[in-house]
Every structure is written in C-alpha cells, then in structure tokens.
Amino acid sequence: MCGIIGYIGSKPAREIILNGLKRLEYRGYDSAGMALVNGDTKIFKCKGRVKDLEEMVNNSNFDGTTGMGHTRWATHGEPNELNAHPQVSHKGYFIVVHNGIIENYARLKRHLEGRGVAFTSQTDTEVLANLIEHLYIEGDLTAEQAITLALNRVEGAYGLVIICTKEADKLFAAKKGSPLVIGVGEGENFIASDATPIVEHTQRVIYLNDDDLAIIKKDELILKTIRIEKIQPVVKELDLKIGEIDKEGYPHFMLKEIFEQPRAIHDTFRGRILPDYSGVMLGGLHNELETMSQAERIIIIACGTSWHAGLIGEYFFEEYTRIPVEVEYASEFRYRNPIIKKGDIVIAISQSGETADTLAAVKLAREKGAKVIGICNVVGSSIPRETDAGVYTHAGPEIGVASTKAFTTQVTVLAMMAFEIGHLKGIISDSFYKELITELVSIPGKIEKTLGVNEKVIELSKIFQNTHNALYLGRGYLFPVALEGALKLKEISYIHAEGYPAAEMKHGPIALIDENMPVVVVATKDDTYGKIINNIQEIKARKGVVIAIVTEGDDIIRKMADHILEVPETLPVFSGLLAVIPLQLLSYHIAVLRGCNVDQPRNLAKSVTVE
C-alpha cells in the first residue's frame, strides 16, 4: 500500500513532505521519492528507505513551496530508482505520483509508443503520465482538460497527485479505488493517502470519492468529477491527535497497540452501552436491526485478520441469533458469482476501510440486492461510504502492519451486534443480556491484567526464537484465535506456523509433532475443555512441546504443559478477547529477538489496496 503526501502553500515544502513520508512508512514500501517546485522543478528518487531519500534531498539544498512525495510498494517493475515515483512524462510537462494499478496500461503504452513516445521505466504510472502529456500536446488542452480526458480512458484503480510544470501554481488530485484526503489549511493545502501525515498541520479534511478530481491551489480548492460535474466540497473535522500516531516511548507501534487494547475496547463500547447495562445502542444500525433480525442468512466478508474476527462473529451470530452464517474471503467471494438471496445480510469487515477485495465484494453484494453492513475503524474511508449502514470500531490509528487492536475491537463490535439482535428476537433473555453486557464492560480491565504476562512471554520467546515451525490449536471460539496467533507469528517473525481446529489434529497435523515442534494450545475453560485436555495428552505422547493459554488457576493443564500463560476467567463468548493477547505478545517478542522489522515486515503492506 503506497503512500502519498502533497503540499502547496507558502512554507518550505521539503520538511513537510519528508516528515509526511515518515508518517506513511507504516504502509509498507520499497522505494521513495519526491518532487519540489520553485520556479524550476527537481525530482529526487531512490530505492530503499525514506532516510536515504532525506539524505539525498538535504544534500541538494533545493526547496520550494509546492511539492509531493511518495513511498512505493512495487507492482509493475522491480524496486529501483527508475521505477520509483514521481514518474515524469516524456517531455517533462507532467509529474505523477500514483497509488493503485492501471489495468489497461499495456494497450495504452503500445498506442503511445506507436506515436513516438519513449519510456524509461517499467511502471504503469509512467504510461499515465505520458498519456496525459500526449493529450495535452496533441489536443492543445489545459492540464485539467488533459488529465480529465486521460482518466476517462484508463481502467483500474488510482490515487493520484499530478504537477504540470507549465501550470505549477496548482496540484491536481484524483481518486478511484485508492484513498485520498485533502487537508484544508489557511493559505495552504495538503493532499495525502490518509490523514496521518497531515494531522499536525490541520484538522480540517475533505475525503475524495471515486471519480473525483481536485484542483488545489494554496488558497483555493475546486472539486469536480472526471465528467466535469462541479462538486461542493464537504469539510470534516478529524478526530485524530498527534500522540496517537507517535510511539510515545514504546520501541515499536505494534507493542504500543497491544497495550492500547484495554482503552481501544473501552472506546468501542463507550457510549453504546446503557448506564444500567440493560442494553446496547448501536446508532449506526438503528434503522437496520429489525431487518437484520429477520435475515435468513448472514454472510461475513473480510481478509486476513478481519477474516479471523469474522469467524468468531460466526459463532456469536449462530449461538445468539440462530441465523445461519457464512464467512467468506472477500478475494474469493468477489470472483465466485456468489448466490445472494433477498433477505440476506452481508457484513463487511475492514480495519482501513480501503481493502481492495473487500471493497469490490461490497459493491458486488449491493449490486445483487443485499443489505450491506460495514465494520470499520477509519472514519471517512471507502467501505463506510459504500455500505448501507455500519459501526465504527473507534480503535484509533493502527500503525503496525500486524493488526492487534483492530482484531479485538472488531470482535467487540460483532459481539454487541449479535447480543442486540439476539435480545430483539427473544433468544437472549433480559437477565442474560445484562450478564453479557456486564461481562463485556469488565473485559478492558481483564486485558489489562492479562498484559501482566509480558515479562513471562519475553522469557518464553528466548526459548522459541529459533524454531522453524509452530502449530496453533483451539476449539470453538478459540479456533479462530489459534488462526490469528499463527498468522501473527508468520507475519512478523517469518516462522512458518499453522492454526488448526484441535479436533482436526489427528487428520494430518499430528504427523508433524515431535520434540522440535512447539504446539501452542489455546485452552481456556469452556464446554470443550475436556476435549482439549485429550489433545494435549496426544501431543505429549509424541514428545511435542506444549505452550498452553489457560484460565487463571488451572491446575490440570499446568501439570501437563511445558509452559503456561494465564488469562483471567470470563464467559466463554469473550475468551478470545483475552486469549489472543499472549499470542500477540509471543509473536512480537520472538520477532524482536530475531531482529525482524516488527512494524514493517517484509513484503507486507498495512492495507492491501490493490489486487
């Protein structure tokens, strides 16, 4: 997921753009670049990190009051200086930074090459820059006209910022399928792929919609569609503080975000639970609950960690609402010609609200007539705007690539939704409803207590930092937690790990177990507790090393397992919210000991905004 930052105003742009690019590093990238305008235009690009670009820019002593920067995650063409952005058109009239993919770039490139246009990179972005320039020259057009015409000819996704060197008093920005936000200042304006690089400069923002084109000057903003329809900009206030995007003394964002989970979950239910704990009020679903309660089927669509949260949601809804649930990978759902019937509800889950496959699946579901509900963290992102209704998680910015508080807050929202629908249907009694809500309110405090295992996890991580494989097992609500624990270990430590339903162990994974195979068993007390004990015995019989996540005071598994990590007692429905915490810490500390880049693991991006 590439990053964009642009500035136009009266201040020196260099530091604003460099600091903005540093804020965007969490998105994942392999090269970086920037353009500065000051009468002349100068381009800086390099493979590698923003700090390498910063050294290059600072050594030049060139600055300007207009500029743009980019962090690139390679799609078309390998990571190198030539393919880094900004990309410049053949004759140098247009400079472009681009998030997304131009799908018909090959056909456009052949067309342009046939007209004598030369290319220097392997990128689809250079094709777009040259298409704009070709139309600009051949049609004797303004920059705005050429950009508009070009965008009506390209297919695919884009978040664009464009400089025309002949009209350098403005920036052009356009969006289709890749997020862009304009920061509105006094005598200055900003453009970025998300709000993190601009929050220290302004709290006033405009979220661009698909097919929007913005013409941005330092003291003027014009918003149109690419079909030349004028739009009245809607300015919103950011609910984001600079401290939320700083590490605040933690060595990594991931560790900070693990420790933020008590607050994040509290913020997720804050204002939504009645003072006497007698009910839940999800304002974003106020007009949809009756429809949801009458659904014949619920389909949950998501990717990655959000998919794991959706699996727990399946247990919630089937247990407490008695509505059949299917949980789908959005990337498969969108291409499978799914059967959606009248009366079906589709729930889309995404931390960023910009996940390309989930967004495409949402649009497909709506086209087929489904009622689509969103669960998202980022206000103003695309999925909340594409769904019929929804709930924000209020987790706060999640900078670490490996999701932690996004997962637990998504699970919290799914629980509240299921409880409210179940109570509405009469499946959950008034007394049990209050018991569930009372226990939910206690969860942040119980997570705070669970975080006390951190020092023990550090010592445990030293034992297992050099392992090559790991198996994670769980049952019921804890099976998706096992999947999530395995994913975390894979993502940031690069150790191969598999999550499995414990009952399926004898259908294959048991063949892997020996004295070199650590097996993490999520074994807090619930209705399947006796069965999970049997699984642990089977592992020990084959000399497997067992790390068990258990309920506080468990003396049975303590005698069987090699290592235990305790979590407080809770209702089984909330067990995953506690059990996942030691697994997050385990993956984090193992990755740190292995010298891995925890916040920016290799080959991964925070949000997958292109296929």
Side-chain angles (χ1 to χ4, degrees), residues 470 472 481-491 495 497-499 583:
Y472 285 66
V481 174
L483 292 176
E484 176 62 10
L487 176 62
K488 286 291 151 289
L489 192 69
K490 281 184 281 195
E491 283 182 306
I495 294 172
E498 272 193 273
L583 303 185

Side-chain angles (χ1 to χ4, degrees), residues 318-496:
E318 293 197 340
E319 174 76 18
Y320 295 113
T321 74
R322 306 309 297 156
I323 300 171
V325 179
E326 297 174 16
V327 184
E328 301 268 7
Y329 281 114
S331 54
E332 290 296 314
F333 179 86
R334 63 178 291 199
Y335 289 116
R336 208 189 63 240
N337 191 20
I339 299 169
I340 298 176
K341 300 177 182 177
K342 187 177 180 181
D344 288 345
I345 298 292
V346 172
I347 299 175
I349 309 174
S350 169
Q351 189 283 137
S352 67
E354 302 292 350
T355 310
D357 286 318
T358 307
L359 185 56
V362 164
K363 293 176 180 178
L364 174 63
R366 293 194 73 187
E367 287 169 7
K368 289 180 174 287
K371 177 76 70 175
V372 184
I373 306 299
I375 297 176
C376 183
N377 187 38
V378 180
V379 176
S381 56
S382 296
I383 286 175
R385 287 183 282 165
E386 290 287 343
T387 48
D388 296 296
V391 182
Y392 285 113
T393 56
H394 300 309
E398 190 177 66
I399 306 299
V401 165
S403 279
T404 51
K405 63 180 180 175
F407 174 77
T408 49
T409 53
Q410 288 166 354
V411 170
T412 300
V413 167
L414 288 162
M416 290 192 292
M417 288 171 64
F419 299 161
E420 193 167 5
I421 293 169
H423 185 246
L424 182 64
K425 294 181 72 171
I427 295 168
I428 298 176
S429 67
D430 290 348
S431 60
F432 187 45
Y433 192 31
K434 189 167 185 175
E435 182 184 353
L436 288 167
I437 294 168
T438 302
E439 183 61 18
L440 176 59
V441 171
S442 76
I443 292 298
K446 291 184 176 182
I447 290 180
E448 196 76 58
K449 187 175 182 181
T450 302
L451 288 165
V453 304
N454 188 49
E455 291 302 317
K456 188 170 183 180
V457 173
I458 291 172
E459 295 307 309
L460 197 58
S461 300
K462 293 174 182 175
I463 299 171
F464 294 103
Q465 63 176 302
N466 294 318
T467 193
H468 297 292
N469 302 282
L471 185 63
Y472 285 66
L473 301 176
R475 284 176 177 258
Y477 289 114
L478 300 174
F479 161 51
V481 174
L483 292 176
E484 176 62 10
L487 176 62
K488 286 291 151 289
L489 192 69
K490 281 184 281 195
E491 283 182 306
I492 61 170
S493 73
Y494 319 138
I495 294 172
H496 172 256

